[in-house]
Amino acid sequence: MERIDQSPVKYAVHRDVLDELGLEEVAQKGTWSIKPTVGDKVKESLRCSVPSLKHILLTWIPILSWLPKYSFRENILGDVVSGCSVGIMHLPQGMAYALLASLGPVYGLYTSLFPVLVYVIFGTSRHVSIGTFAVISIMVGSVTERLAPDEAFYFNGTNGSLTVNIDARDAYRVQMACSVTLLSGIFQILLGVVRFGFVATYLSEPLVRGYTTGAACHVCVSQLKYLFGVKPARFTGPFSLIYTIVEICRLLPQTRVPELVVSLVALAVLIVVKEINACYSKKLPLPVPIELIVIGATIIIHFCGVREDYLIDVVGEIPSGFKAPRTPDITFFSQLIGDAIAVAIVSYAITISLGKTFGLKYGYKVDSNQELIAVGLSNTIGSFFQCYAVTASLSRSLVQESTGGNTQIAGVVSSLLMLIMVIKIGSLFEDLPKAVLSTIVFVNLKGMFRQFMDVPLLWKTNKVDLLVWLVTFISTVLFNLDLGLALSVGFSMLTLIFKTQLPHYSILGNVPSTDLYLDTEAFRQVNEIPGIKIFRSSATICFTNAELFLEALQQRVCISKKRAKQEKMAKKEVKKSVIEIHVILQLVLDKVTSYFSELNKEKNLSMHKDVAIFLTNTSSNGFGHVNSAYQYDATTSEIDSGCHSENNLTPILYEDEKDGRTCMSVTHSIILDISTTGFVDTVTVKMLKNIFGDFADVDVDIYLAGCQACVVEQLEKAAFFESIPKTRLFVTVHDAVLHILRKLGAVLEGLN
């Protein structure tokens, strides 16, 4: 076996120290641009040619690109098996999730058919299964129950009691569901056309998982009435979930035992077989379709007459065939805008997250904008066939992938299976108890409730994400799905703002014998370079944190405006005192010299020398030694000069304003590492100019390091380099440090 050398790889680079001007010369910076202008883009988009037309067709209708290349030998068997497996799951889930939307089970079957075919044509993911989903169903159900409550359809019965007109209510709810589906689909198509697919990136994973977990709680509570056979009052608005739970608990003494027994038996069977499927998933060629088996077993209820004897609530009439397409009522749009936006965003976010996951796993590209259009068309076209909003289902997508599905041909097979069920078999399930469908919903929510395990994981990894998860979950549970989504997105944006407002500021030090500069608080074996402070912010400097950046810089280098003014005045006083002392000493020395000159030169020469040495020592010890290197040169421009002013070597002594402590500052240069800054605005440019000017007043030179090319370009447009030379910008921090040390060495050499 070949042995791999584990010794560290070393490298050495020999080059000149590069500032911005040197970099432009070495890299041959040009003024040309390879980016097309807006006019060129418009001309290219309007240009009509065969290649451009072909590109547009293949982009907007992806099936034209992959279907001609479809390999029957490699894919057809897996797609057929996968399509049959998913179709078997569509039947129970479609009927069960339709109850969540407060619609008849047949509309869940419609939703499992037409939108799937539309996605096959326009979608780019090969493995996601489009159709009914618990979260979207409960969101649609909240709309239908709010706008079409039972109270609005009461009429006087034969014995004078109030009775709900179920047929009128259900027909009105179907109109509501189709209208909100159409409006959400229009929103998705418009966003996809304007290439707004990145909107899903603002829904972080903790937000989506917290939201779906909260929605799962709403789903569970909505199904409790079928499990216990009770009819609780309907509540809307904030805290409706809490009120519903309290109402169900109040009605528990009225529980219908036959429906509870059916629910418990079906729940036990579903859980046991689901666990067997999970444990032996690698050994079983196909998962046991237990939902279909449970539904088939309930046909016994029809032949045994249990429905008539115990009055069990069943699905009811399931018409065979399809109804004629009908345009949804657009007069409801004004009442549905908020709900439609929420449904559009959530359905797209779930679809694109699953699509991206499978795309990364199998190495193909999922176009986020095209997915937005595909889901929008599925909703829009489906609404004309009395379907409600769809999205990708995690459970069905995993089955489609694990059973060998390679393309969306599996979706075509599942749709054909659903077509047969709707036309020929649907009427067999009219006596299916709603309690059985509710247990199917409960069992399929297991994956969502597993997301509670995110809490301890996020506690260990990222507490900000944990806070987003908890706030999203709590707001969704307490304030319902629409308002909860708005609050959670707003809170997520606030955390992003706070992250830019409160970045980590650090002083960097050098790793010995390297060109690396790391945080001195995080690493032990790094040393600050004497006289040089290297300051870095972890976030982009912009108008939201520019003032905080300046305050942190002043605090870290122990210099404030008030201190700078005090230091400047103190220097002037010291210089004035030194000049006066020099004048006095010079006069005294002249008088002493003239006195001794009258004496015998040979006899008193030694005494003359002793007195001169004494006076010199006195001036040195009593008043401070004066070195020409410390003299202030008013003609030197602190900003425009290429080297450091000699006066910068003077130590600065001051008292801290907050705690009264005394600091000794020998900082003569500050390097601002702005490599993390991706853009600058006018506030940032002005702040940087002020930093250069303010620190120049206390003889401290400022340098910038790590500027990205786009940042340099923005600084040029902002006229930053009219007052600050490009020689103050360096490619790396190490370049700036070497430049400062070289200049400092030249100054010291000149003094000697």
Side-chain angles (χ1 to χ4, degrees):
M1 183 177 179
E2 183 179 357
R3 189 173 182 179
I4 301 176
D5 187 8
Q6 297 294 332
S7 60
V9 178
K10 297 182 179 181
Y11 72 93
V13 177
H14 299 278
R15 64 172 176 83
D16 296 334
V17 174
L18 294 177
D19 55 20
E20 185 61 28
L21 291 177
L23 177 64
E24 292 177 0
E25 181 179 355
V26 171
Q28 297 183 1
K29 181 180 179 181
T31 57
W32 62 85
S33 176
I34 60 175
K35 295 182 180 179
T37 62
V38 177
D40 295 336
K41 291 181 179 179
V42 173
K43 291 179 181 178
E44 184 66 25
S45 62
L46 298 177
R47 185 175 299 162
C48 184
S49 62
V50 175
S52 62
L53 181 61
K54 181 180 178 181
H55 175 73
I56 292 173
L57 287 176
L58 295 180
T59 302
W60 290 78
I61 310 177
I63 193 174
L64 297 179
S65 62
W66 61 265
L67 186 59
K69 305 175 185 177
Y70 184 80
S71 175
F72 280 86
R73 179 178 298 178
E74 297 179 1
N75 300 324
I76 191 63
L77 180 60
D79 286 339
V80 170
V81 173
S82 175
C84 293
S85 302
V86 173
I88 291 173
M89 294 182 67
H90 266 304
L91 175 64
Q93 289 187 4
M95 298 175 67
Y97 291 157
L99 297 181
L100 295 178
S102 298
L103 302 174
V106 69
Y107 297 102
L109 301 181
Y110 296 159
T111 306
S112 301
L113 172 58
F114 295 107
V116 176
L117 293 175
V118 176
Y119 184 83
V120 169
I121 298 173
F122 296 99
T124 58
S125 176
R126 304 174 188 171
H127 296 89
V128 298
S129 175
I130 292 292
T132 57
F133 188 59
V135 175
I136 301 300
S137 299
I138 195 67
M139 293 178 74
V140 174
S142 66
V143 176
T144 56
E145 290 190 0
R146 186 183 76 246
L147 298 179
D150 292 342
E151 294 80 6
F153 298 92
Y154 281 137
F155 70 96
N156 292 325
T158 54
N159 56 356
S161 61
L162 294 177
T163 306
V164 178
N165 188 341
I166 297 179
D167 294 336
R169 182 202 64 184
D170 291 347
Y172 194 75
R173 286 181 175 179
V174 170
Q175 293 182 16
M176 293 292 103
C178 293
S179 296
V180 73
T181 301
L182 174 62
L183 188 56
S184 64
I186 292 174
F187 283 142
Q188 290 171 329
I189 293 173
L190 292 177
L191 291 175
V193 169
V194 298
R195 321 306 289 173
F196 214 66
F198 67 90
V199 69
T201 59
Y202 290 96
L203 301 178
S204 63
E205 184 179 0
L207 188 148
V208 173
R209 294 175 72 87
Y211 182 78
T212 52
T213 306
C217 295
H218 282 275
V219 172
C220 278
V221 173
S222 68
Q223 296 302 294
L224 290 177
K225 60 183 179 181
Y226 298 116
L227 261 67
F228 295 104
V230 296
K231 296 181 178 180
R234 181 184 175 275
F235 300 94
T236 59
F239 306 105
S240 60
L241 183 73
I242 308 299
Y243 297 145
T244 303
I245 293 175
V246 173
E247 178 71 5
I248 291 176
C249 293
R250 187 182 66 83
L251 295 175
L252 283 180
Q254 305 176 18
T255 300
R256 298 181 57 82
V257 176
E259 295 189 12
L260 180 61
V261 171
V262 170
S263 301
L264 294 177
V265 172
L267 197 61
V269 173
L270 286 169
I271 291 175
V272 170
V273 179
K274 285 275 188 180
E275 290 299 320
I276 293 175
N277 284 339
C279 293
Y280 298 96
S281 59
K282 296 182 178 179
K283 297 181 179 180
L284 293 174
L286 293 174
V288 178
I290 186 58
E291 292 99 337
L292 190 61
I293 294 174
V294 169
I295 290 177
T298 56
I299 298 177
I300 300 173
I301 296 176
H302 173 71
F303 294 104
C304 295
V306 177
R307 173 187 176 185
E308 291 76 10
D309 295 340
Y310 297 100
L311 300 178
I312 294 178
D313 192 12
V314 297
V315 169
E317 182 183 0
I318 299 179
S320 299
F322 300 98
K323 296 182 179 181
R326 189 173 64 178
T327 303
D329 194 342
I330 62 174
T331 59
F332 300 117
F333 279 5
S334 59
Q335 307 175 53
L336 301 172
I337 291 178
D339 301 289
I341 292 175
V343 170
I345 293 176
V346 174
S347 63
Y348 169 66
I350 296 173
T351 302
I352 193 61
S353 61
L354 282 176
K356 292 283 188 182
T357 301
F358 288 118
L360 290 174
K361 182 176 182 180
Y362 290 96
Y364 61 87
K365 181 182 178 182
V366 176
D367 189 341
S368 58
N369 294 303
Q370 183 60 31
E371 285 295 294
L372 194 53
I373 295 174
V375 178
L377 287 173
S378 298
N379 286 326
T380 302
I381 297 175
S383 65
F384 288 88
F385 294 90
Q386 299 183 351
C387 305
Y388 65 90
V390 297
T391 187
S393 168
L394 176 60
S395 59
R396 293 196 304 270
S397 298
L398 290 175
V399 169
Q400 181 168 321
E401 180 240 354
S402 61
T403 53
N406 297 311
T407 67
Q408 282 298 331
I409 294 296
V412 176
V413 175
S414 68
S415 297
L416 292 176
L417 191 59
M418 290 302 302
L419 180 64
I420 297 173
M421 291 179 181
V422 171
I423 295 177
K424 296 295 184 182
I425 309 178
S427 58
L428 297 178
F429 302 103
E430 292 180 352
D431 289 333
L432 175 64
K434 291 183 179 179
V436 174
L437 294 179
S438 65
T439 58
I440 294 174
V441 173
F442 270 107
V443 173
N444 284 305
L445 290 177
K446 177 183 176 182
M448 290 190 185
F449 285 121
R450 279 181 176 175
Q451 294 176 158
F452 278 111
M453 298 305 297
D454 293 348
V455 175
L457 178 62
L458 292 175
W459 174 262
K460 297 177 182 178
T461 56
N462 193 316
K463 291 183 174 57
V464 175
D465 285 344
L466 172 63
L467 192 60
V468 171
W469 196 100
L470 292 175
V471 170
T472 303
F473 173 77
I474 294 173
S475 61
T476 303
V477 169
L478 297 182
F479 300 105
N480 291 339
L481 299 176
D482 48 359
L483 185 58
L485 178 62
L487 291 175
S488 57
V489 171
F491 182 79
S492 181
M493 293 296 101
L494 282 178
T495 60
L496 183 62
I497 293 173
F498 280 123
K499 287 178 181 178
T500 60
Q501 280 284 91
L502 302 173
H504 176 68
Y505 299 106
S506 56
I507 295 293
L508 306 184
N510 178 251
V511 179
S513 303
T514 70
D515 60 349
L516 303 177
Y517 293 84
L518 306 176
D519 188 354
T520 55
E521 296 179 355
F523 299 89
R524 291 183 180 180
Q525 297 300 322
V526 296
N527 303 313
E528 287 191 52
I529 300 174
I532 302 176
K533 289 287 185 181
I534 307 172
F535 184 74
R536 182 176 66 189
S537 170
S538 62
T540 292
I541 310 170
C542 58
F543 71 95
T544 60
N545 58 14
E547 185 176 353
L548 297 174
F549 178 87
L550 180 58
E551 292 176 358
L553 174 63
Q554 292 171 345
Q555 182 181 5
R556 292 301 180 96
V557 300
C558 296
I559 295 178
S560 65
K561 291 184 177 180
K562 183 177 180 181
R563 292 170 183 164
K565 186 176 181 181
Q566 293 174 350
E567 293 160 5
K568 189 172 183 179
M569 295 299 296
K571 288 181 180 182
K572 290 182 178 180
E573 293 296 330
V574 170
K575 294 169 187 175
K576 184 177 179 181
S577 300
V578 168
I579 294 173
E580 293 176 353
I581 292 171
H582 267 274
V583 172
I584 295 173
L585 288 176
Q586 188 65 40
L587 292 174
V588 173
L589 188 60
D590 291 342
K591 290 184 179 181
V592 172
T593 303
S594 62
Y595 171 76
F596 282 103
S597 64
E598 297 176 358
L599 301 177
N600 193 321
K601 295 181 180 180
E602 295 179 359
K603 182 177 180 180
N604 300 317
L605 184 59
S606 60
M607 183 181 296
H608 179 203
K609 292 180 179 180
D610 293 339
V611 173
I613 293 172
F614 168 77
L615 292 175
T616 303
N617 290 336
T618 302
S619 66
S620 175
N621 296 329
F623 304 102
H625 179 67
V626 180
N627 191 316
S628 60
Y630 293 93
Q631 297 301 314
Y632 176 73
D633 185 3
T635 62
T636 304
S637 172
E638 290 86 347
I639 297 180
D640 295 335
S641 61
C643 63
H644 178 274
S645 176
E646 292 88 341
N647 196 40
N648 295 355
L649 301 178
T650 306
I652 301 173
L653 183 66
Y654 61 86
E655 185 176 352
D656 196 350
E657 297 171 354
K658 293 184 179 180
D659 54 11
R661 62 185 177 88
T662 301
C663 282
M664 177 68 72
S665 173
V666 293
T667 302
H668 53 74
S669 300
I670 297 175
I671 301 174
L672 303 180
D673 181 3
I674 58 175
S675 57
T676 58
T677 298
F679 66 92
V680 291
D681 50 28
T682 55
V683 176
T684 305
V685 173
K686 185 176 180 180
M687 183 266 297
L688 290 175
K689 288 182 179 180
N690 291 338
I691 289 177
F692 274 84
D694 291 344
F695 281 93
D697 291 340
V698 290
D699 299 324
V700 176
D701 290 338
I702 303 294
Y703 299 88
L704 301 180
C707 297
Q708 300 182 42
C710 59
V711 175
V712 175
E713 183 179 355
Q714 292 168 3
L715 291 175
E716 289 176 342
K717 292 180 179 179
F720 179 78
F721 298 114
E722 291 182 1
S723 56
I724 311 298
K726 285 190 175 182
T727 53
R728 291 299 183 95
L729 272 69
F730 287 88
V731 178
T732 65
V733 172
H734 196 56
D735 285 282
V737 170
L738 294 178
H739 170 79
I740 294 170
L741 295 179
R742 183 182 63 181
K743 293 297 182 181
L744 184 60
V747 171
L748 295 177
E749 183 179 353
L751 296 178
N752 295 329

